[in-house]
Amino acid sequence: GDSVTQMEGPVTLSEEAFLTINCTYTATGYPSLFWYVQYPGEGLQLLLKATKADDKGSNKGFEATYRKETTSFHLEKGSVQVSDSAVYFCALVYNQGGKLIFGQGTELSVKP
Amino acid sequence: GAGVSQSPSNKVTEKGKDVELRCDPISGHTALYWYRQSLGQGLEFLIYFQGNSAPDKSGLPSDRFSAERTGGSVSTLTIQRTQQEDSAVYLCASSSRRGQETQYFGPGTRLLVL
């Protein structure tokens, strides 16, 4: 079945370091891909999305490119801040299905 | 504008009791989803409603779980005869229509079954 796999956490970085969180997916069709973020004590928020192959989603300095050939949607940021500390979830959805299929989440901790 | 709201924010109950969780979606959103977030299982889809169509109940873990959506707006998730493994955060989301539209999440209801 369809699934999303993220790199294991927790990831601990120093402020201003480069961030990559890997996400790969298994899908029978052509889903849309999302990154959601959950800050401590808060609900899930959409960070960015891409709806077709080669699309790049971006927001708040984060980027991810929909790579159909490698079935990946890796999240990157050039310089992380302490305020980026959160749990990041990669997810996919089909136009026909509607339900989000989530990866297991990756906890990011940024130290000053 | 108002986002998705859920109530209660926290619920503690005894094993065997029934609980009701409520979700108010964003006004005008026709699609409504319930998910569960637990330590062992991550984020799992439970059920979704789209307009007047029959709901997709494929994610409900047992027949103790049910949900309804009245008037195409507010939804209630009911868990009967709660078990300790039902302890989790129950999240509601809504979107303007099914499919690839962004789902906006509420703050969740944290359920603890003693």
Side-chain angles (χ1 to χ4, degrees), chain A residues 12-91:
Chain A
T12 303
L13 295 174
S14 297
E15 207 165 21
E16 299 184 1
F18 184 86
L19 169 71
T20 300
I21 300 178
N22 289 338
C23 170
T24 57
Y25 66 91
T26 302
T28 53
Y30 303 100
S32 287
L33 301 174
F34 298 80
W35 278 100
Y36 278 85
V37 59
Q38 190 171 36
Y39 296 103
E42 298 185 17
L44 275 171
Q45 303 174 25
L46 176 70
L47 181 59
L48 53 84
K49 70 177 185 181
T51 58
K52 60 183 187 298
D54 299 326
D55 269 3
K56 178 186 283 188
S58 61
N59 186 27
K60 299 182 181 180
F62 290 89
E63 298 184 332
T65 301
Y66 190 160
R67 302 285 188 200
K68 183 183 162 189
E69 63 275 12
T70 55
T71 61
S72 65
F73 193 54
H74 304 321
L75 182 68
E76 297 183 334
K77 186 175 185 183
S79 176
V80 293
Q81 305 300 311
V82 172
S83 57
D84 294 326
S85 298
V87 181
Y88 292 81
F89 292 91
C90 186

Side-chain angles (χ1 to χ4, degrees), chain B residues 4-109:
Chain B
V4 177
S5 61
Q6 293 184 244
S7 60
S9 54
N10 291 281
K11 177 72 176 179
V12 180
T13 191
E14 294 179 350
K15 178 181 171 181
K17 301 283 190 184
D18 297 351
V19 295
E20 287 189 349
L21 313 179
R22 177 187 168 104
C23 172
D24 280 274
I26 292 171
S27 178
H29 279 189
T30 58
L32 185 148
Y33 310 79
W34 284 97
Y35 296 87
R36 179 169 70 173
Q37 185 174 21
S38 57
L39 279 176
Q41 302 297 324
L43 273 158
E44 306 172 275
F45 164 77
L46 296 177
I47 185 171
Y48 91 87
F49 301 86
Q50 169 56 42
N52 295 321
S53 302
D56 177 352
K57 304 180 183 180
S58 60
L60 294 179
S62 78
D63 59 8
R64 296 186 295 105
F65 287 73
S66 63
E68 62 177 21
R69 189 178 185 191
T70 54
S73 181
V74 171
S75 177
T76 302
L77 177 68
T78 301
I79 310 173
Q80 295 179 308
R81 305 180 302 282
T82 51
Q83 304 294 311
Q84 289 181 330
E85 62 262 28
D86 299 333
S87 296
V89 178
Y90 290 81
L91 297 170
C92 177
S94 70
S95 67
S96 58
R97 56 184 169 93
R98 72 187 290 177
Q100 297 171 340
E101 292 299 312
T102 298
Q103 295 180 25
Y104 295 89
F105 283 80
T109 294

